[in-house]
Amino acid sequence: MTTTTDVVNPATEEVIEQVHLLGPEEVDSAIERAAAAQRGWARLAPGERARLLRRAAEAVDGAAEELARLEVSNAGHTISNARFEAGNVRDVLAYYSGAPERLFGRQIPVAGGIDVTFREPLGVVGVIVPWNFPMPIASWGFAPALAAGNAVVLKPAELTPLTAIRIGELLLEAGIPEGVFQVLPGKGSIVGWRFVTHPLVRKICFTGSTDVGKKIMAGCADQVKRVTLELGGKSANVVFADADLERAAASAPAAVFDNAGQDCCARSRLLIEASVHDRFLELLEPAVRSFRVLDPADESSQMGPLISAQHRAAVAAFVPEGAPVAFAGTAPSGPGYWFPPTVLAPVAPGSAALSEEIFGPVLSVVPFEDEADAIRIANDTNYGLSGSIWTRDVGKALRVARAIDTGALSVNSHSSVRYWTPFGGFKQSGLGRELGPDALDGFTELKNVFIATDD
Ligand code: NAP
Ligand code: MG
């Protein structure tokens, strides 16, 4: 039986394409093809693997505008964001193309011989991707995995498979051998779960919700399968009274409303020192009201629609009748899964809007008394992915940065993820780190070999 899914443009609700969803037998044969292809890929000279990855980066670069347009129509990303995302895939491939020739082991002093370590590829790696950033998140898994000599089977989210499918074609055209990188569209419960249970898949690199991540981790226990998890977040934007309040207020909307808030790093809790609370909200209001929620294909659009009707309903549930909406921006009417940027203040401690990841354009404001109070509130969550700190006091910035239990912080900015620095979560935001110079550790096994030199 053939199953297909309708891929929908979330800004227009029109069906743009039908995509075939793989069934269990097709997944199994793809995994077997990957395992066979991996052996040849790992045996290639490091310089040859590097050259093919550089060619892959060039192929993505050549198709960057096409990929960006595809993401605008499939995921509702603004065209400027989508261009950045396609460029990010190129850059991640280019960065890790430097890895095959630098996959160093060590030589460790021992008596009676020499001792060396090798970083061996794992085999087949299963990369499972969510719908919120289909292109970058896929590449953060597949590029270092391929560089380390693994084969990759990649499952895009059912809602957003188009750019991944195109990237699969581009890599093949660039010369990555058949079977080494395969994109397998399908349901999480079928394709994704088969990655967990199939013994030839040696590692799962999962990005998505904390609930599904926990199931994957439990499933991986059965074969002691390696797993990296990048999960949800409820990150704090902490504004101290001594900060540049104008700059902090001007940048706060994009820090939570970018990608319509469908960003695991969204600064969805705004913690403001009580003495400047009212002043800060006065500065924030015009910035929120003027945030441009427009057709994502419009060059000046700052925010597009949510991904689906179902997701919009889930976001709207956090803003019921009588919710403490301090102010809100605007959104188009008519077709599309639109939701306006919304600021909740004051938000009652313990309320769902404050504790749960909304994954939509909803910001919860909380006042704090002093440094200790700010740290306590920032850490009062099961998540720990990202966050920002605004202050002119360098010592305070560093004390607070060290005290907040989160994986990636920025001071006086809302930096996004950089492919050359590590990224990942504390607590229930994840397990392991992606990107940066150490990402290859997560895609290799360390092997120790002792060679006797005694007669
Ligand atoms: P999700 O429901 O957890 O899905 C993520 C991926 O897992 C999808 O490809 C999904 O497939 C698949 N999946 C679902 N059930 C599965 C199962 N039982 N076995 C194997 N795979 C399964 O998450 P989402 O709704 O797409 O994305 C939103 C969530 O991702 C948010 O919570 C967000 O914070 C998190 N996220 C985290 C990061 C990060 O880096 N930390 C980045 C982005 C997103 P289908 O959807 O096709 O069924
Ligand atoms: Mg889901």
Side-chain angles (χ1 to χ4, degrees), residues 180-198:
V180 168
F181 177 62
Q182 297 175 82
V183 176
L184 310 180
K187 291 190 178 302
S189 54
I190 295 173
V191 180
W193 190 250
R194 189 58 182 140
F195 292 178
V196 176
T197 59
H198 200 300

Side-chain angles (χ1 to χ4, degrees), residues 14-38:
E14 282 161 12
V15 175
I16 47 176
E17 202 163 320
Q18 285 204 322
V19 168
H20 169 65
L21 300 177
L22 269 67
E25 293 81 22
E26 290 166 299
V27 180
D28 280 11
S29 41
I31 291 170
E32 284 155 27
R33 265 198 308 280
Q38 188 269 332

Side-chain angles (χ1 to χ4, degrees), residues 48-415:
E48 185 62 12
R49 240 186 299 139
R51 193 179 66 80
L52 290 172
L53 289 169
R54 281 195 296 273
R55 285 183 51 176
E58 282 158 22
V60 169
D61 191 44
E65 187 62 19
E66 177 200 346
L67 288 167
R69 296 272 162 201
L70 211 47
E71 206 67 293
V72 172
S73 56
N74 188 176
H77 289 197
T78 63
I79 182 66
S80 55
N81 276 11
R83 285 188 185 123
F84 169 85
E85 292 159 16
N88 186 253
V89 177
R90 171 203 58 217
D91 293 344
V92 172
L93 276 164
Y95 179 72
Y96 287 109
S97 74
E101 292 152 314
R102 295 170 179 80
L103 203 51
F104 303 124
R106 290 176 170 203
Q107 176 266 314
I108 299 171
V110 286
I114 59 169
D115 191 281
V116 286
T117 65
F118 296 91
R119 294 222 155 262
E120 304 287 12
L122 299 167
V124 179
V125 171
V127 179
I128 302 175
V129 180
W131 47 258
N132 65 329
F133 287 112
M135 283 194 276
I137 290 174
S139 70
W140 303 350
F142 74 69
L146 292 175
N150 302 285
V152 170
V153 284
L154 177 102
K155 195 205 92 64
E158 191 183 340
L159 293 172
T160 56
L162 299 187
T163 46
I165 292 171
R166 185 71 189 112
I167 288 169
E169 294 166 358
L170 289 166
L171 264 57
L172 201 59
E173 287 162 22
I176 303 288
E178 194 104 30
V180 168
F181 177 62
Q182 297 175 82
V183 176
L184 310 180
K187 291 190 178 302
S189 54
I190 295 173
V191 180
W193 190 250
R194 189 58 182 140
F195 292 178
V196 176
T197 59
H198 200 300
L200 284 175
V201 178
R202 293 291 161 73
K203 172 177 176 144
I204 304 288
C205 180
F206 172 83
T207 305
S209 61
T210 296
D211 283 349
V212 175
K214 287 177 183 176
K215 272 190 222 149
I216 303 252
M217 187 174 176
C220 284
D222 189 48
Q223 296 166 18
V224 196
K225 192 167 291 195
R226 278 57 178 149
V227 62
T228 306
L229 303 172
E230 298 289 0
L231 308 175
K234 190 73 185 177
S235 297
N237 178 11
V238 183
V239 181
F240 286 98
D242 70 350
D244 181 338
L245 297 183
E246 281 74 19
R247 269 186 62 207
S251 63
V256 56
F257 303 141
D258 187 63
N259 206 37
Q262 304 166 120
D263 181 341
C264 48
C265 291
R267 277 64 164 179
S268 55
R269 293 183 299 152
L270 175 59
L271 278 51
I272 312 173
E273 191 157 0
S275 59
V276 295
H277 176 269
D278 294 355
R279 170 76 189 129
F280 195 80
L281 289 190
E282 274 170 32
L283 291 167
L284 183 65
E285 181 168 351
V288 170
R289 290 194 188 279
S290 61
F291 207 70
R292 291 187 301 279
V293 184
L294 301 172
D295 173 1
D298 187 315
E299 294 284 336
S300 68
S301 179
Q302 288 179 291
M303 182 180 130
L306 292 167
I307 191 68
S308 66
Q310 194 192 3
H311 187 53
R312 181 172 60 182
V315 171
F318 287 95
V319 192
E321 275 294 309
V325 176
F327 42 86
T330 56
S333 51
Y337 311 119
W338 302 95
F339 197 90
T342 303
V343 177
L344 302 178
V347 185
S351 67
L354 197 54
S355 57
E356 290 176 35
E357 180 181 50
I358 300 174
F359 225 54
V362 181
L363 176 64
S364 300
V365 179
V366 192
F368 66 85
E369 290 305 322
D370 55 20
E371 189 177 320
D373 200 31
I375 292 165
R376 180 188 61 76
I377 298 169
N379 283 337
D380 187 17
T381 167
N382 288 330
Y383 294 114
L385 190 56
S386 180
S388 305
I389 299 158
W390 290 80
T391 173
R392 288 187 167 101
D393 178 336
V394 177
K396 181 156 65 183
L398 281 171
R399 284 195 303 276
V400 175
R402 297 296 301 272
I404 296 182
D405 297 328
T406 187
L409 277 155
S410 48
V411 175
N412 295 330
S413 73
H414 303 290
S415 71

